[in-house]
Amino acid sequence: MPVLLFNQQHLTLLEALEQKKVKIFSECRSGFCGQCKTKVKSGSVAYIKEPLVELEADECLPCCCVPDGDIDLALSAEGAEVVVRVASPKSQVNNDSLSDNPATQN
């Protein structure tokens, strides 16, 4: 899953998406037109400025919000500069601790 890191150098989620070349259409950049309306698959956002466009519960306007933790948006990562999150290797059981040595069994 592609990961985009948001930090305080971005004023809005839209700025962070654009900086990483994520394709997203926008017009007014102030929550008025609704052109950047995006589905939020998981997570939530906090609004810097209350949007003037009516939104469904699973939508956001990246032009006037910031992520409120980890979020997953319904946007294509094609052509974007992203970091791929790699799953950490699961800890492996030490086979020596599972030996058939009768001295270690109860």
Side-chain angles (χ1 to χ4, degrees):
M1 167 184 296
V3 175
L4 181 137
L5 303 176
F6 183 90
N7 59 40
Q8 277 38 49
Q9 78 182 38
H10 306 112
L11 296 179
T12 65
L13 179 55
L14 180 62
E15 287 182 4
L17 293 168
E18 289 176 334
Q19 181 184 21
K20 293 299 182 181
K21 298 179 178 43
V22 175
K23 293 178 181 135
I24 182 168
F25 185 76
S26 66
E27 283 281 327
C28 73
R29 307 181 75 79
S30 62
F32 179 73
C33 72
Q35 292 299 308
C36 65
K37 189 184 295 186
T38 302
K39 290 273 188 199
V40 179
K41 294 163 65 175
S42 67
S44 63
V45 297
Y47 284 94
I48 299 165
K49 181 171 142 183
E50 197 62 34
L52 300 175
V53 174
E54 188 172 322
L55 298 169
E56 298 294 325
D58 66 343
E59 295 176 325
C60 75
L61 292 182
C63 70
C64 58
C65 72
V66 295
D68 191 20
D70 291 344
I71 60 172
D72 184 5
L73 302 174
L75 293 171
S76 171
E78 185 178 327
E81 296 174 7
V82 295
V83 174
V84 178
R85 184 179 291 177
V86 178
S88 60
K90 293 182 180 179
S91 56
Q92 297 179 353
V93 176
N94 183 348
N95 287 332
D96 294 339
S97 66
L98 300 177
S99 70
D100 290 331
N101 182 346
T104 62
Q105 296 178 350
N106 291 335

